[in-house]
Amino acid sequence: MDDFENNTTVFSALRSLNNFISLEGVSGPPTPGSSRSALQIQYQQRVQMEEQAGQIHSKSQLLQVEREKMQMELSHKRARIELEKAANTNARNYEREADRNRELLTRIKQYQERETEAENKLKEQMEMNKSYKKSMETMSKKLQEKESKLAEANETITVLKGKISELQWSKMNQEMQMTSQDSQKQELMEQLDVQHKKWQEACQQIQMLQANQSHLAEYEQKIKDLEQKLSQQEHDALIVKNMKTELARLPKMERELRQLKEENAYFREMKENNGLLKEEVEGLQRKLERYEKVQAQLAAVELENEVSSWECLVGEQGRGFLCCLTPDDLSRQIVALQQRELVLKEQNSTITSSARILEKARVQLQEDIIRIQSQLLEEKKKREQHEALVRRLQKRVLLLTKERDGMRAILESYDSELTPSEHSPQLNRRMREAEDMVQKLHAHNTELEVIKKHHALNPGVKCLRPVRLDCLMSVINFPFFSRQKIEELEAERSKLEEQNRSLEMKLEKLTVQGDYDPSKTKVLHFSMNPASLAMQQRKEEHQQLQEAYERLKETVRVLEGGGSIPENLEGLGSLQSSQEIAELKKQVESAELKNQRLKEVFQTKIQEFRKVCYTLTGYQIDITTENQYRLTSIYAEHQGDCLLFKASSSSSRKMQLLENEFSRTIRELIELHLLRQDSIPAFLSALTLDLFSRQTIA
Amino acid sequence: MAKQVGREQQGITLRGSAEIVAEFFSYGINSILYQRGIYPPETFTRVQKYGLTLLITTDPELKNYLNNVVEQMKEWLYKCIVQRLVVVISSIENNEVLERWQFDIECDKTAKDENEPREKSQKVIQDEIRSVIRQITATVTFLPLLETACAFDLLIYTDKDLAVPEKWEESGPQFIANSEEVRLRSFTTTIHKVNSTVAYKIPSH
């Protein structure tokens, strides 16, 4: 439309232009051709422009068309794409549908197949059913036949049972007879045994008697023998006594014999010796005679020799002595010699005594010497001690002088501190003054003492003393003030030194013991050190032991009380016995549980059975006492209507009905079923029918 | 390595001295544990050291503990901030201290700034250490018997301003109440001097 509008505008513009040109043409010729040409130029320009505009418009139209076309194409494409997508999806859906169709078809086929199979199976089963039915019929027929046979068999069984019961009865009778006969037999046997024993005893007694008789005979013989022996023995005893006395003499005889033998031997020896000795004696006597002769000769010879020797001696001594050849002279010389000897001995004795005295004196002198030497040593020691004392005193004097010098120096220094002017002359002056003061004090002291003595005698003058003392003291105190302070300070210093030494010793001891200065050092150790680990282990052990101990205490208490060990203590049991006990207890418990379960099961089963019996047979059977059974009917009219049956013995099946009130009411039934037909089940069933009929009627 | 000249014959450096002293402590503590029967003798094995046959433990926990302490000591010896090492032997039952083996360490701090190693023969130091260890063995003769089961602890006295490393904590000095002290020999590497003392509780009877 726009194009058309544009075209119309263009056309309108052209028309206007043409109009203008016509107008212009109309108005025209006077205007110059230039304006026309200008107009033509303008017109041409405008036409060109319009053409351009038309071109542009057409281009724009073209562009628009092309754009539209593009858009259309795009939209077409999009539509195509979408359509393609849709087509794809449709195709896919179609495919899916096709697949599904196929699947469904296959499933249908399967189901159809299954259907056919099921139908076949059905048919087969129908056939089988038919066959089973046929078989069932045959089986039922067989059953019936069998039941009939069973009934026959039951009848035969009952007949046989009757026979059996008769036989049993007869058997019982026979057994009773047997037992009685057995008992008789046993009695007879016992009697036999007794008799037999008696016979045996009698035999034994007879044997014993015989043996005794034989023994008696033997003994009588023995007695005789013994009597004979006795007599012989008495004879022998007499002989023996005689022999004994003789025998007692035997050893003595033997001893005497021995002694005699010895003496004999000894005497023989002696005799021999005597003989020998005699011979010797004779020989010796002869020798003696000879020797006496020889001796006499010898004596003479010796005398001659002595004389010759004496003569020689005399001859020798004769040179010294004056002619002494005669023996008297010799004897006199001998006497003289002896006297000289005596004299010499006396001199000897005197000399020895003097020697002893001298020795004693010497010993005493030696002792004196020793004493003196010891005294000397003591004196030396004393002297040395004195010398040492002297030296010490000298040293002390030196020290004191040094101290004094030192004190003087200190004093001078103090004085120098106190007064910076001249010191030493002042000090010296003070020293002198002090010394003068001391002297004066001493003099004053003596005067005072005198005065005191005088005062003691006559109390009078007093006033002088205190004033002088005061002034003296004040004068004295000043120079001595510093000295006291010095002494105090010295004392303090020494004390401090001692304290220092003792503290140093203590400190050393403590450092050796391990002390430290907390401000400068600290002590570290590893956290996981063996001592702490050991302590922890010990604590844990301790705790464990305590726990075990407490548990054991509890078990002991429980055991003493007689109760069972609670289960939490069983878990501890490390001892074997407790383990065994636990196991045994577990076993016991399990056994008890089993028992209980069995009991429960039995009870339930019994109850069930009884209920079933009651419902099926119509009678509740109770055991009242041993072998007695009470039957109560389900249709009983009264509560107490019951039948009592007794089993004759535990092994036999024979039951006897006991008479009671209810049984009297049903005597007819009893007669019919029990006495004639002898069948308890028939009786019971007849009774139930009767009661049932009565109930329904009533 | 220029600094590890402690093993050479030429001289002793600070690090070498620290190693020597730490090694001495390791063997010394093992000897004490064996001699005093703190651990059963079958847990000890023989080695040769300082010309002696020494016994060291084979228990892995104990070895680990001793190694930790000795390594720490080596560091502190190198920094010269440790003053004392004490082996405290106490009874497990009542935690009472029965014996105290005290090793005082004097460190020459000027060695930190020196570059030249100090002149002392390795052999002389070994001889001194040997005499100390022999003395430790000989003390068994007069030390009272340890009747009860005992455990030991190692205390280290250091400077107050030291940062406490991990796994270490401060502790008391653990004195013995009534004790007798005996001074043993000392040895010196010219940089560290170790004085040994043993203090034991005077037996009550």
Side-chain angles (χ1 to χ4, degrees):
Chain A
M1 287 297 284
D2 287 338
D3 295 341
F4 290 122
E5 284 176 1
N6 288 337
N7 288 334
T8 50
T9 51
V10 167
F11 283 122
S12 64
L14 273 168
R15 222 178 270 152
S16 65
L17 190 69
N18 286 327
N19 291 333
F20 182 63
I21 288 166
S22 64
L23 281 174
E24 286 290 309
V26 171
S27 67
T31 54
S34 60
S35 63
R36 213 184 262 175
S37 64
L39 273 170
Q40 274 185 351
I41 291 163
Q42 276 183 8
Y43 174 69
Q44 279 175 1
Q45 280 181 357
R46 278 185 191 161
V47 165
Q48 281 176 2
M49 276 171 64
E50 279 173 11
E51 281 176 7
Q52 281 179 4
Q55 279 178 1
I56 289 164
H57 274 302
S58 63
K59 278 181 189 170
S60 66
Q61 277 178 22
L62 259 173
L63 283 169
Q64 277 182 10
V65 163
E66 280 178 3
R67 227 183 293 146
E68 280 175 14
K69 197 180 109 185
M70 293 278 282
Q71 282 179 2
M72 291 284 280
E73 279 179 3
L74 278 169
S75 62
H76 273 305
K77 275 184 192 169
R78 274 185 217 143
R80 212 191 304 159
I81 288 163
E82 283 172 11
L83 280 170
E84 277 177 9
K85 279 184 194 168
N88 281 331
T89 50
N90 280 335
R92 271 183 234 140
N93 288 336
Y94 176 70
E95 280 172 16
R96 272 185 230 146
E97 292 295 316
D99 289 332
R100 270 191 217 158
N101 270 337
R102 265 177 254 145
E103 283 174 18
L104 289 166
L105 280 168
T106 51
R107 273 192 208 164
I108 287 161
K109 279 180 198 167
Q110 283 173 6
Y111 289 144
Q112 280 177 355
E113 282 170 13
R114 278 185 205 163
E115 225 186 297
T116 51
E117 282 177 13
E119 278 179 11
N120 290 333
K121 277 183 188 170
L122 240 181
K123 282 178 198 166
E124 283 171 14
Q125 284 197 348
M126 290 288 284
E127 286 172 8
M128 287 203 11
N129 271 339
K130 283 178 195 167
S131 63
Y132 283 147
K133 273 183 191 169
K134 284 177 194 166
S135 61
M136 281 285 284
E137 282 170 12
T138 53
M139 294 293 278
S140 60
K141 280 179 197 166
K142 280 181 190 170
L143 245 176
Q144 280 173 5
E145 284 171 15
K146 280 189 181 160
E147 275 176 9
S148 62
K149 279 182 189 170
L150 244 178
E152 286 173 13
N154 281 332
E155 286 173 13
T156 52
I157 282 164
T158 47
V159 164
L160 286 166
K161 273 186 186 171
K163 284 183 187 169
I164 284 164
S165 59
E166 284 175 9
L167 283 167
Q168 280 178 354
W169 183 255
S170 61
K171 195 180 99 178
M172 268 175 53
N173 288 331
Q174 282 177 359
E175 275 177 6
M176 279 177 45
Q177 283 176 6
M178 283 279 287
T179 49
S180 61
Q181 279 174 2
D182 278 333
S183 59
Q184 281 178 8
K185 193 179 99 178
Q186 277 177 5
E187 286 173 11
L188 285 167
M189 287 289 284
E190 282 169 14
Q191 283 178 8
L192 225 180
D193 287 330
V194 164
Q195 296 276 327
H196 196 68
K197 277 177 198 167
K198 280 184 189 170
W199 175 72
Q200 278 181 352
E201 281 173 14
C203 285
Q204 282 176 4
Q205 281 182 1
I206 287 160
Q207 282 177 2
M208 274 168 61
L209 280 167
Q210 283 178 355
N212 284 339
Q213 276 181 1
S214 62
H215 282 305
L216 266 170
E218 285 176 14
Y219 291 148
E220 278 176 8
Q221 277 188 358
K222 273 185 187 173
I223 286 163
K224 279 179 197 167
D225 292 331
L226 285 167
E227 280 178 2
Q228 280 179 5
K229 277 182 188 172
L230 239 182
S231 61
Q232 277 182 2
Q233 274 182 354
E234 282 174 8
H235 285 297
D236 291 334
L238 285 168
I239 293 163
V240 158
K241 273 183 201 169
N242 293 331
M243 295 299 286
K244 261 188 193 172
T245 52
E246 286 181 11
L247 273 169
R249 268 186 254 155
L250 230 186
K252 285 182 204 168
M253 302 277 279
E254 280 181 358
R255 260 179 260 149
E256 285 178 11
L257 228 183
R258 257 183 263 143
Q259 280 177 2
L260 286 167
K261 277 184 188 172
E262 282 169 11
E263 280 176 10
N264 266 339
Y266 180 64
F267 286 140
R268 266 182 226 141
E269 283 180 18
M270 291 300 288
K271 203 168 120 182
E272 286 176 12
N273 286 335
N274 276 338
L276 285 168
L277 283 168
K278 272 180 190 171
E279 287 176 14
E280 280 185 28
V281 158
E282 283 173 13
L284 283 168
Q285 276 180 356
R286 275 180 228 147
K287 275 186 189 174
L288 233 181
E289 287 170 11
R290 265 187 263 144
Y291 285 147
E292 277 176 1
K293 283 176 198 169
V294 167
Q295 211 178 14
Q297 286 172 7
L298 253 176
V301 166
E302 275 178 5
L303 271 168
E304 286 176 9
N305 280 337
E306 275 186 25
V307 167
S308 63
S309 69
W310 275 103
E311 283 174 0
C312 289
L313 268 172
V314 163
E316 284 176 11
Q317 284 186 355
R319 290 168 211 150
F321 282 85
L322 299 165
C323 58
C324 322
L325 290 167
T326 59
D328 293 330
D329 290 332
L330 275 170
S331 62
R332 265 181 252 149
Q333 278 185 6
I334 287 162
V335 166
L337 283 168
Q338 280 178 353
Q339 281 176 355
R340 264 171 66 187
E341 202 184 317
L342 281 167
V343 165
L344 285 167
K345 273 185 187 172
E346 283 175 18
Q347 284 179 0
N348 197 8
S349 62
T350 50
I351 288 161
T352 49
S353 60
S354 62
R356 266 182 237 147
I357 291 158
L358 282 167
E359 273 192 31
K360 278 180 195 168
R362 192 180 61 94
V363 163
Q364 277 181 2
L365 282 168
Q366 276 187 352
E367 283 173 10
D368 287 333
I369 286 162
I370 289 160
R371 243 185 288 144
I372 288 159
Q373 278 179 355
S374 63
Q375 279 177 8
L376 228 183
L377 285 167
E378 283 173 15
E379 301 261 301
K380 273 186 187 171
K381 279 179 199 168
K382 277 182 193 171
R383 201 176 58 140
E384 280 169 10
Q385 281 173 9
H386 285 305
E387 280 178 6
L389 261 173
V390 159
R391 267 178 248 146
R392 266 185 243 151
L393 286 167
Q394 282 176 355
K395 281 182 194 168
R396 268 195 196 162
V397 159
L398 281 167
L399 283 169
L400 282 168
T401 50
K402 280 180 191 166
E403 268 190 54
R404 196 193 55 185
D405 295 332
M407 298 292 257
R408 276 189 190 162
I410 289 162
L411 273 169
E412 284 168 11
S413 66
Y414 285 154
D415 281 331
S416 67
E417 282 174 16
L418 290 167
T419 55
S421 57
E422 294 175 342
H423 306 298
S424 48
Q426 274 187 10
L427 277 171
N428 287 330
R429 219 187 325 125
R430 277 189 200 151
M431 282 281 289
R432 271 174 249 144
E433 281 173 14
E435 285 169 5
D436 295 333
M437 275 296 149
V438 162
Q439 284 174 0
K440 279 180 194 173
L441 270 173
H442 277 301
H444 192 66
N445 255 337
T446 48
E447 283 177 18
L448 284 170
E449 279 175 7
V450 166
I451 290 161
K452 192 177 160 189
K453 280 178 193 170
H454 282 299
H455 274 280
L457 297 171
N458 21 324
V461 184
K462 289 177 202 176
C463 55
L464 283 170
R465 236 188 291 161
V467 172
R468 257 191 116 176
L469 269 173
D470 283 338
C471 73
L472 277 170
M473 290 304 288
S474 63
V475 170
I476 288 160
N477 276 337
F478 187 65
F480 286 125
F481 173 69
S482 53
R483 197 177 271 185
Q484 277 178 11
K485 214 177 175 185
I486 289 159
E487 284 170 11
E488 281 171 22
L489 287 167
E490 280 287 303
E492 265 189 56
R493 193 178 66 93
S494 56
K495 275 186 212 165
L496 286 168
E497 271 188 29
E498 280 176 23
Q499 274 184 18
N500 199 13
R501 254 177 263 149
S502 64
L503 283 169
E504 276 177 9
M505 293 277 286
K506 276 186 196 169
L507 224 172
E508 215 188 289
K509 186 145 200 259
L510 284 170
T511 51
V512 170
Q513 277 186 349
D515 200 3
Y516 62 97
D517 181 7
S519 64
K520 286 183 199 156
T521 56
K522 61 185 177 188
V523 184
L524 296 176
H525 73 160
F526 212 67
S527 308
M528 300 290 293
N529 64 64
S532 59
L533 287 171
M535 286 293 293
Q536 270 180 17
Q537 277 178 10
R538 188 69 38 143
K539 275 185 197 167
E540 283 170 11
E541 275 179 33
H542 190 65
Q543 274 180 8
Q544 281 175 9
L545 284 169
Q546 272 208 337
E547 281 170 20
Y549 172 65
E550 278 167 18
R551 272 180 228 159
L552 284 168
K553 254 191 178 176
E554 280 178 28
T555 54
V556 163
R557 260 182 253 147
V558 164
L559 279 170
E560 280 177 6
S564 61
I565 299 173
E567 284 181 5
N568 58 356
L569 294 173
E570 280 174 27
L572 259 188
S574 58
L575 300 167
Q576 280 186 356
S577 61
S578 64
Q579 269 183 0
E580 286 173 3
I581 288 165
E583 284 173 11
L584 287 167
K585 274 181 189 161
K586 278 178 194 168
Q587 284 178 7
V588 160
E589 281 174 12
S590 64
E592 278 177 15
L593 276 170
K594 271 187 201 171
N595 271 338
Q596 272 188 358
R597 274 180 222 147
L598 281 168
K599 275 186 201 169
E600 284 166 16
V601 165
F602 284 142
Q603 272 198 347
T604 50
K605 286 284 176 190
I606 283 164
Q607 278 181 5
E608 218 183 284
F609 186 70
R610 275 166 62 76
K611 277 182 196 167
V612 163
C613 280
Y614 188 50
T615 47
L616 288 174
T617 58
Y619 286 98
Q620 185 162 343
I621 304 169
D622 302 314
I623 302 175
T624 52
T625 57
E626 187 80 29
N627 294 337
Q628 269 196 14
Y629 305 98
R630 187 181 66 209
L631 275 82
T632 320
S633 174
I634 195 168
Y635 301 116
E637 287 171 340
H638 307 289
Q639 190 80 23
D641 287 346
C642 60
L643 292 167
L644 287 168
F645 282 93
K646 186 181 169 191
S648 51
S649 71
S650 56
S651 57
S652 70
R653 297 287 178 87
K654 198 74 177 177
M655 303 282 270
Q656 291 172 349
L657 178 65
L658 298 175
E659 187 84 13
N660 66 356
E661 288 182 9
F662 184 61
S663 67
R664 285 185 210 126
T665 57
I666 46 165
R667 208 167 274 173
E668 290 169 4
L669 285 169
I670 288 167
E671 281 177 15
L672 174 60
H673 294 289
L674 288 178
L675 297 174
R676 271 186 238 160
Q677 290 178 353
D678 200 17
S679 160
I680 294 172
F683 163 67
L684 289 171
S685 44
L687 181 60
T688 47
L689 283 169
D690 186 33
L691 287 170
F692 182 65
S693 62
R694 272 194 228 168
Q695 218 184 39
T696 48
I697 290 165
Chain B
M1 299 269 280
K3 279 294 175 188
Q4 286 184 355
V5 287
R7 290 283 172 268
E8 296 177 12
Q9 295 294 323
Q10 284 159 7
I12 311 290
T13 61
L14 178 61
R15 194 167 277 287
S17 173
E19 274 189 35
I20 291 170
V21 175
E23 210 176 34
F24 160 72
F25 281 136
S26 167
Y27 286 100
I29 292 165
N30 271 296
S31 295
I32 291 167
L33 293 177
Y34 174 75
Q35 293 292 337
R36 304 310 288 143
I38 310 293
Y39 289 88
E42 52 266 15
T43 62
F44 286 86
T45 179
R46 289 171 199 276
V47 294
Q48 286 291 326
K49 189 74 190 169
Y50 309 122
L52 296 169
T53 304
L54 297 176
L55 286 136
I56 58 171
T57 182
T58 55
D59 182 323
E61 268 189 39
L62 180 59
K63 264 177 135 165
N64 188 30
Y65 170 68
L66 285 177
N67 284 335
N68 283 331
V69 172
V70 165
E71 284 302 314
Q72 192 57 257
M73 278 294 290
K74 223 188 272 192
E75 261 187 57
W76 284 338
L77 282 165
Y78 180 68
K79 294 181 194 162
C80 290
I81 47 179
V82 62
Q83 298 169 11
R84 217 176 260 187
L85 173 93
V86 181
V87 182
V88 175
I89 295 172
S90 53
S91 158
I92 296 179
E93 287 168 6
N94 49 12
N95 215 15
E96 195 190 0
V97 180
L98 299 174
E99 271 182 30
R100 254 176 138 260
W101 296 77
Q102 190 165 284
F103 300 95
D104 298 322
I105 300 160
E106 293 166 19
C107 180
D108 188 356
K109 297 214 168 134
T110 63
K112 268 192 200 172
D113 309 319
E114 283 178 8
N115 286 323
E116 292 291 316
R118 298 213 181 168
E119 288 293 321
K120 183 150 186 187
S121 156
Q122 191 80 352
K123 188 169 180 315
V124 172
I125 296 172
Q126 277 211 356
D127 287 344
E128 288 180 8
I129 290 176
R130 188 186 351 180
S131 54
V132 174
I133 291 185
R134 275 210 188 118
Q135 239 190 348
I136 289 171
T137 316
T139 57
V140 171
T141 51
F142 65 80
L143 286 175
L145 288 172
L146 297 173
E147 304 282 354
T148 62
C150 294
F152 81 102
D153 193 5
L154 296 173
L155 307 177
I156 303 189
Y157 288 48
T158 61
D159 290 347
K160 185 112 179 127
D161 51 2
L162 169 69
V164 179
E166 210 183 295
K167 296 193 198 170
W168 289 76
E169 62 186 16
E170 279 208 39
S171 131
Q174 306 213 23
F175 296 134
I176 301 178
N178 186 19
S179 71
E180 190 77 46
E181 295 94 29
V182 175
R183 277 198 191 276
L184 305 177
R185 286 185 208 269
S186 63
F187 75 93
T188 172
T189 63
T190 69
I191 298 176
H192 290 103
K193 179 161 191 254
V194 178
N195 298 315
S196 320
T197 329
V198 60
Y200 57 93
K201 180 167 184 251
I202 295 174
S204 52
H205 53 275

